[in-house]
Every structure is written in C-alpha cells, then in structure tokens.
Amino acid sequence: DGGITQSPKYLFRKEGQNVTLSCEQNLNHDAMYWYRQDPGQGLRLIYYSQIVNDFQKGDIAEGYSVSREKKESFPLTVTSAQKNPTAFYLCASTETGSNQPQHFGDGTRLSIL
Amino acid sequence: GENVEQHPSTLSVQEGDSAVIKCTYSDSASNYFPWYKQELGKRPQLIIDIRSNVGEKKDQRIAVTLNKTAKHFSLHITETQPEDSAVYFCAARDNQGGKLIFGQGTELSVKP
C-alpha cells in the first residue's frame, strides 16, 4: 500500500548489534503493528500500538523493542538479545474503532552477517 | 484470546478448477474476517473481507462464506488461473485489543 513505507528493504545485522527498522504511514491510522514472517510460515505479531505513546507486546516480543512517539511512525528495534533475527518483517496499520482492513508495508528482510 | 486454524496448508489444482480454503476461529465475539494473498517476497494484500452481519460475500471469482454458529469461514476461488498461485491467509479480529489473528497460511498452486 502506497501509504505505508518501510525502510530499508534489506538489512544486515552483525552479532551483538542493535538495528532499527523504520515504518511510516500517511494514512492517519491510529493503530500500527509489527509482524515477523519466517520462510514458509505465517505472520507472528511482535508488538502493536493503538494510540500514540502506548504499545503492547504481541506473541513474540522478546528481543524486540518499539516506540510510538508520533502517530505516523512506529519503529522496531531488533536488539542483540534476539538470537535468531533472520526473517521478513512486516509493518501494518489500520483505523481503530471499526472493522477496517489492515494495510501492510512492503517489508524489510533482515539477515545476519 | 482468539485462535485461528487454517486448512489445508498446501493445495494444488488444475487451471479452471475451483479452490476452497477453510478456517475456524475460537472467539464467538469476533466479527471481522479478512483474507489476504501473498506472493513470494511481497506484502500480504487484502483480497476480500466479511463482517459478521452477512453470511456470504462475492467479488468476481472470489467468494467468502461465514458460519457464525460453527465458527468457521471459507474462501472460494472459481475458474482458477496460474496467477492465483500464492499463499493465502485468513484472519479474525480479536476483540481484546482489536488486533488480527492470522491462520497459518495455505500455499495454492494452480497448474496450467
């Protein structure tokens, strides 16, 4: 969806390094989400935020951190505590308070050097 | 919280045949059920969704049916084409927090 921009498209992490994945949306959506997708697998929720300055852990939050200082931005940091970070990371957003669809960004593919 | 099961995990059909993918959910309060198509290396794209006040919705060759009593919903693709080959995900909205809970995905292969 043109309204959600993820960067970079590809990212490499060295051992012991923290890396941050960017997600920006211009859809004026309140809620934003981060998912991890491993090869041939489904979407697993890492963190989500329904409003600025608030966020909740998803199913696999360990080794990750987020912030939501602005409505349009929801960056994800993959910390050195995440021992198996290689995956495809997808950001999504949606309006809250109604059954509206969730829109996805194009993803960031993270690999270990 | 909500739990979604999706079957089958892989599905192979001949071009022109129909394909059906089924999902079950656990939370009877869930009221929104989207379906996404994901091509290799790309983002999931919404192809159709249904809300709990309707039992069926169609969009050209794609249809979704919902049975709230049995807590299951299905995706039907008719007259399949090779470009329908992709991974399809169902989802249900969790009323605790409003997040989507996804099924495990179905890899559909349409053979010419």
Side-chain angles (χ1 to χ4, degrees), chain B residues 6-12 20-22 88 104-108:
Chain B
Q6 182 173 345
H7 299 280
S9 57
T10 61
L11 179 60
S12 181
V20 180
I21 303 170
K22 298 182 179 181
Y88 291 81
Q104 297 87 344
T106 296
E107 184 175 1
L108 174 64

Side-chain angles (χ1 to χ4, degrees), chain B residues 75-109:
Chain B
L75 178 72
H76 303 253
I77 306 175
T78 59
E79 301 172 25
T80 53
Q81 301 166 3
E83 50 265 39
D84 293 329
S85 297
V87 178
Y88 291 81
F89 292 97
C90 64
R93 188 176 297 281
D94 188 329
N95 283 302
Q96 296 176 3
K99 58 187 183 292
L100 286 180
I101 306 301
F102 285 85
Q104 297 87 344
T106 296
E107 184 175 1
L108 174 64
S109 175

